[in-house]
Amino acid sequence: MVARRLRDAIASGALKPGDRLPTEGGLTQEYEVSRTVIREAIASLRADGLVEARHGVGVFVLTPPAGAYDGFKSADPNKISSLLEMLELRAAIEIEAAGLAAIRRSPAQEEAILEAYDEIERLKQDQKPTVEADRAFHLAIADSTSNPRFREFLQLVGKQIIPRGVLAEGDTERSSQEYLQQIQAEHLRIARAISDQDEAAAREAMRLHLKGSQQRYRNFIKRG
């Protein structure tokens, strides 16, 4: 969980190259885990070339390795047809991920999914962009499979994992409250199925969510 949150902060730019991480003691307090957990999380980030330890100074964020979060090279984020292709591919992966998450999720992983859902809801109510929180929701489900390859795949997809973030103009999210309410209703069905450890319901909820997204973007094409 600690490694995941730090990776997300680096990927989103919240932690930038050259930034120094909080001290080991500070991270221990922030995440309410032992020093051993913090050391293991940092070791994982170091192994991936995301941070480096400087003796007597601290741990610093590095520039991510080339291609770490660049997404599929042949995909064109400016074309809705390309986003539809990615949604189809995501469905093949994330429906399975939802089913595995329902079987394997730990209490901490379940909590991470629900926290991500709540964060989307909070931002929606405040009329703030929800794209990053939406991405965190899907990554939390990927983590709950206990198979790191699911997270790696979604990171490879890059920004296109949440199509409305790609279509947004600058930092402004164009999605209506009605649209976000529909998305949240779908997210809630997924989260509840995983929480209930209902594999079939989790798969179906994710299938409906991603198929629904495909239809919504097809409607965009028809309108424009």
Side-chain angles (χ1 to χ4, degrees):
M1 179 274 288
V2 174
R4 171 175 58 79
R5 292 189 179 180
L6 290 172
R7 287 175 197 276
D8 288 347
I10 294 170
S12 68
L15 285 173
K16 298 178 176 59
D19 286 351
R20 183 171 64 180
L21 297 185
T23 65
E24 187 177 280
L27 290 171
T28 297
Q29 292 182 349
E30 179 179 350
Y31 291 104
E32 299 182 340
V33 296
S34 69
R35 288 179 181 268
T36 299
V37 170
I38 296 299
R39 289 169 189 157
E40 290 178 354
I42 297 300
S44 174
L45 296 180
R46 288 178 64 186
D48 289 342
L50 297 177
V51 300
E52 70 172 358
R54 300 175 188 171
H55 184 67
V57 182
V59 178
F60 291 81
V61 177
L62 297 175
T63 300
Y69 304 110
D70 289 345
F72 286 79
K73 303 300 182 184
S74 62
D76 185 348
N78 297 311
K79 294 182 178 179
I80 292 180
S81 58
S82 186
L83 298 179
L84 283 171
E85 292 170 355
M86 296 309 302
L87 283 168
E88 288 182 353
L89 183 57
R90 282 182 56 201
I93 300 299
E94 289 196 75
I95 292 171
E96 176 68 11
L100 291 175
I103 298 170
R104 299 175 178 174
R105 60 92 179 145
S106 68
Q109 289 167 337
E110 175 190 10
E111 183 178 6
I113 293 171
L114 295 174
E115 284 178 352
Y117 170 85
D118 289 340
E119 178 67 4
I120 299 171
E121 189 64 24
R122 182 186 69 78
L123 292 170
K124 180 173 72 69
Q125 295 297 331
D126 292 343
Q127 297 188 354
K128 295 180 178 179
T130 61
V131 170
E132 289 302 322
D134 198 331
R135 183 179 290 112
F137 177 81
H138 285 272
L139 288 171
I141 293 172
D143 289 336
S144 297
T145 66
S146 296
N147 179 341
R149 305 309 169 204
F150 282 96
R151 166 176 275 270
E152 290 176 9
F153 170 80
L154 294 185
Q155 288 180 324
L156 180 61
V157 172
K159 293 187 296 183
Q160 295 176 72
I161 183 177
I162 308 298
R164 69 179 185 278
V166 177
L167 296 174
E169 298 175 338
D171 294 329
T172 302
E173 188 171 294
R174 296 184 292 174
S175 306
S176 68
Q177 286 294 306
E178 181 181 359
Y179 175 86
L180 293 176
Q181 188 61 41
Q182 174 63 35
I183 295 295
Q184 273 295 78
E186 294 170 5
H187 285 161
L188 184 58
R189 284 194 290 271
I190 297 168
R192 283 178 172 171
I194 293 173
S195 181
D196 292 341
Q197 296 187 298
D198 188 332
E199 178 185 1
R203 290 176 185 274
E204 179 63 8
M206 183 64 79
R207 187 189 70 81
L208 291 174
H209 176 52
L210 294 177
K211 294 296 183 181
S213 292
Q214 291 177 38
Q215 187 57 52
R216 285 185 282 269
Y217 288 103
R218 286 193 181 94
N219 291 339
F220 287 162
I221 293 175
K222 293 176 181 177
R223 290 201 299 268

